[in-house]
Amino acid sequence: MPRHPRNPRRLVADGRAYLWTLRHSHRAPGDGRRADCCATVTLHPQPAGTGGPLRIVFTEGPGRYVGGAPLGSGDVGFVRGGSLNLHEPGAVRALLDEAAARGWHPGERAAELDGWSLLEAAAAAQAGPAGTAGPAGR
């Protein structure tokens, strides 16, 4: 039976468990188009109460895209650069690792980070050497 897309998924990184979700939002101006697309990955350290959630936000803008029709769901990237599929646990792990490398700690209060600042490094880590699956793609 397929996993329900609204149910949190479990990720274990460096001996710590997280529940994570991916949400897509946008504004509909009323003419059938969508505008201001945003993808948010939220990681909740486990067990509950051991730290605030980490929200990694990708907002559509010039030179970057956030998935949804006609693009693949969960796809985010730079038009001329790195990209990730946020439905893949390896992509979320790479973002988590990059956030930690930049000073985020799971025991902190809730935090929100701009996903675009993490994307290139996370995409490179996920690809590994010569485009092969690296440690983040486990």
Side-chain angles (χ1 to χ4, degrees):
M1 179 173 201
R3 185 186 65 76
H4 188 281
R6 292 263 182 209
N7 288 344
R9 297 175 72 177
R10 183 176 157 86
L11 175 72
V12 178
D14 299 324
R16 177 124 196 192
Y18 299 86
L19 292 180
W20 65 276
T21 58
L22 170 61
R23 299 289 186 259
H24 180 93
S25 62
H26 57 270
R27 183 175 55 81
D31 59 1
R33 295 180 304 119
R34 61 188 180 116
D36 304 327
C37 287
C38 180
T40 304
V41 173
T42 305
L43 294 114
H44 299 272
Q46 298 298 300
T50 59
L54 170 63
R55 288 180 187 82
I56 302 173
V57 181
F58 294 88
T59 304
E60 190 175 57
R64 54 192 192 198
Y65 61 89
V66 175
L71 303 170
S73 172
D75 289 341
V76 294
F78 292 105
V79 173
R80 290 187 175 90
S83 65
L84 292 171
N85 181 334
L86 301 178
H87 287 296
E88 295 177 2
V92 174
R93 170 65 192 267
L95 289 167
L96 176 63
D97 289 347
E98 187 58 26
R102 295 185 185 200
W104 178 80
H105 301 287
E108 295 178 354
R109 294 180 181 213
E112 186 171 298
L113 298 177
D114 175 19
W116 299 112
S117 68
L118 308 173
L119 188 126
E120 291 287 0
Q126 187 184 25
T132 60
R138 296 178 246 192

